[in-house]
Amino acid sequence: MNNVEQTLSIIKPDAVERNLIDQIKSIFVKNDLRIKDNKKISISKEEAAEFYKVHQSKPFYNDLCNYLSSGPIVVMILEGKDAISKNRKIMGATDPKDADEDTIRKLYGISIDKNSVHGSDSLENAKKEINFFFNN
Ligand code: IDP
Ligand code: MG
């Protein structure tokens, strides 16, 4: 089981609102990322602020926290070979207009803030982020 990793994925409010949950999940599954756990939740602005703490010095931090707490989201643990980098590749660039063809953000993203999905960017952050939403 070399390089089997877990990563945190979030389907953001813009995608949940447009009923894209099943389409996005099917892209992960098609790419051999197993959905180990998932739940549809709403979070408070304070929880969003804690989750996105690494961005607290950025000019877009406040808008980002308002946005993630603006409606239901789906949080998922994805598991598979090289899950962290694979998920980042499947998601595409942060700004949908820079994203490669067939990536989730190219297909469904609206703008740099409404870019449909989140994915952990490192092993360390994946562990922290999974624990944030699925601490049992
Ligand atoms: P990522 O989601 O591709 O990892 P990050 O740089 O970690 O991108 O930024 C977190 C989120 O903050 C992005 O997904 C995006 O929604 C938002 N964001 C990033 N840069 C900007 C910006 O310049 N303006 C507005 N929102 C941004
Ligand atoms: Mg990031």
Side-chain angles (χ1 to χ4, degrees):
M1 296 280 275
N2 275 344
N3 295 321
V4 172
E5 298 171 344
Q6 291 185 350
T7 190
L8 184 88
S9 169
I10 304 178
I11 303 178
K12 294 185 179 181
D14 63 274
V16 173
E17 193 175 82
R18 287 176 289 148
N19 293 314
L20 295 170
I21 296 171
D22 290 345
Q23 281 100 313
I24 292 174
K25 281 182 175 173
S26 77
I27 294 174
F28 294 133
V29 172
K30 205 167 61 191
N31 284 278
D32 298 318
L33 290 174
R34 186 167 81 87
I35 300 169
K36 203 184 171 233
D37 204 347
N38 80 108
K39 56 187 178 187
K40 189 175 179 183
I41 57 171
S42 293
I43 62 170
S44 66
K45 184 174 179 183
E46 291 68 32
E47 288 168 315
E50 180 64 27
F51 178 75
Y52 273 133
K53 212 168 176 175
V54 297
H55 294 302
Q56 63 187 335
S57 63
K58 309 269 173 66
F60 55 84
Y61 180 62
N62 190 50
D63 288 344
L64 183 59
C65 299
N66 280 331
Y67 175 61
L68 199 70
S69 57
S70 67
I73 59 175
V74 176
V75 293
M76 285 173 282
I77 301 173
L78 301 180
E79 185 177 81
K81 190 170 182 299
D82 301 319
I84 298 162
S85 59
K86 187 188 258 187
N87 180 39
R88 296 289 308 188
K89 193 157 189 252
I90 295 168
M91 287 164 55
T94 305
D95 190 339
K97 69 175 173 351
D98 300 329
D100 289 343
E101 292 301 321
D102 295 328
T103 60
I104 295 171
R105 284 167 165 172
K106 180 72 172 192
L107 288 169
Y108 302 126
I110 296 169
S111 57
I112 193 165
D113 46 333
K114 295 184 174 171
N115 60 5
S116 303
V117 280
H118 166 87
S120 310
D121 63 4
S122 66
L123 192 59
E124 189 192 348
N125 286 334
K127 284 182 183 154
K128 276 192 207 158
E129 292 178 1
I130 288 169
N131 194 47
F132 185 85
F133 286 110
F134 296 93
N135 52 344
N136 32 44

